[in-house]
Amino acid sequence: MQIVAPEIEGYLASLEVHDPQLTRVAAEGESLGLPIINPAVGRLLEALVIATGTRRVLEIGTANGYSALWLARSLPADGQIFTLEIDPERAAVARRHFEEAGLAGRVSVVVGDAARMVHKVAGPFDLIFNDGDKRQYGPLLDRLVSLLRPGGVLVTDNILWDGEVVPGLVTPPRRAPEDTAAIAEYNRRLAADERLMTSFLPVRDGLAVSVRRRP
Ligand SMILES: C[S@@+](CC[C@H](N)C(=O)[O-])C[C@H]1O[C@@H](n2cnc3c(N)ncnc32)[C@H](O)[C@@H]1O
């Protein structure tokens, strides 16, 4: 189920200023069947990087590097992204894109299971983009909050899961019920988490923007 009406998506896409490299990487992601973000989400990530003065980013789920390109290009020259990817072939493709974009110096692709790798990276991060295995969202939440600086932002993708988090909306369900349940439980936790202030947005497949409160 498409969350935002195709006509609205089309209108928003018509406002985009196209960057040829991003367009190429998005097309490649689509042809490989990768569930990457769209330009509306990329633009929002870029706006958050700039608004928060982000210098250090952690991303979970690199795929072919499309979202990391959006994040990396708006960082200052000495900014840094660590992006975690379990699939070495995808990681290699992403690295090639960062080199082609002249951004390889800002991006470290870490290959391995995010469940382990999040304990190998050192915070604090200004922004974390959480877009890996949906069943890891809940188990990783405490670690991600601890890696975030006060005032930093945790952005989580796919929180509407094609509308399947709304009970009874999509029948029969097309997604694995375990994934849907994991995301719904994660959303409940985000909403109740007093360390965070979360805004749930119906952008593309749903985004949660959670700001770590200052003490
Ligand atoms: C939704 S895609 C990421 C899309 C990317 N953020 C973008 O929008 O351009 C999720 C990625 O997470 C990776 N992934 C899945 N499970 C993982 C895990 N346990 N640890 C690290 N990466 C994982 C998948 O291989 C896949 O490439």
Side-chain angles (χ1 to χ4, degrees):
M1 172 182 187
Q2 189 160 354
I3 305 296
V4 180
E7 296 82 356
I8 302 285
E9 294 267 15
Y11 170 72
L12 294 175
S14 77
L15 299 176
E16 273 299 325
V17 179
H18 289 284
D19 172 302
Q21 208 220 3
L22 284 171
T23 305
R24 197 162 41 76
V25 174
E28 176 201 76
E30 229 168 85
S31 70
L32 294 173
L34 296 174
I36 58 174
I37 61 166
N38 70 2
V41 176
R43 189 68 72 188
L44 179 60
L45 291 174
E46 194 171 24
L48 287 170
V49 165
I50 294 166
T52 55
T54 286
R55 305 183 90 77
R56 297 191 82 234
V57 176
L58 175 64
E59 176 181 70
I60 301 169
T62 316
N64 69 337
Y66 181 66
S67 53
L69 281 172
W70 277 99
L71 289 159
R73 70 189 207 146
S74 33
L75 286 177
D78 63 347
Q80 190 72 33
I81 297 188
F82 294 86
T83 179
L84 314 185
E85 175 55 55
I86 202 163
D87 181 329
E89 284 177 21
R90 290 182 184 177
V93 170
R95 282 194 184 107
R96 181 164 48 76
H97 292 318
F98 303 140
E99 270 160 30
E100 284 164 0
L103 295 168
R106 292 182 204 173
V107 189
S108 303
V109 184
V110 180
V111 180
D113 187 344
R116 215 159 45 82
M117 294 306 166
V118 290
H119 297 283
K120 305 245 177 225
V121 290
F125 290 95
D126 305 295
L127 188 146
I128 299 177
F129 183 44
N130 191 13
D131 192 21
D133 180 348
K134 308 311 161 191
R135 291 187 213 181
Q136 287 186 352
Y137 277 10
L140 294 190
L141 179 60
D142 285 340
R143 176 61 182 163
L144 297 189
V145 173
S146 75
L147 286 170
L148 204 57
R149 72 154 160 89
V153 182
L154 167 65
V155 182
T156 307
D157 197 16
N158 306 110
I159 56 113
L160 294 176
W161 208 226
D162 286 338
E164 299 218 7
V165 289
V166 181
L169 181 63
V170 183
T171 48
R174 294 167 49 217
R175 301 291 199 157
E178 296 82 0
D179 289 353
T180 305
I183 294 172
E185 172 57 18
Y186 178 77
N187 290 342
R188 280 191 291 273
R189 279 184 63 190
L190 280 186
D193 195 320
E194 292 187 349
R195 299 167 297 179
L196 303 169
M197 195 288 300
T198 296
S199 173
F200 297 93
L201 303 173
V203 178
R204 200 187 67 104
D205 193 28
L207 280 180
V209 179
S210 309
V211 181
R212 183 172 174 188
R213 293 182 194 275
R214 295 169 200 277

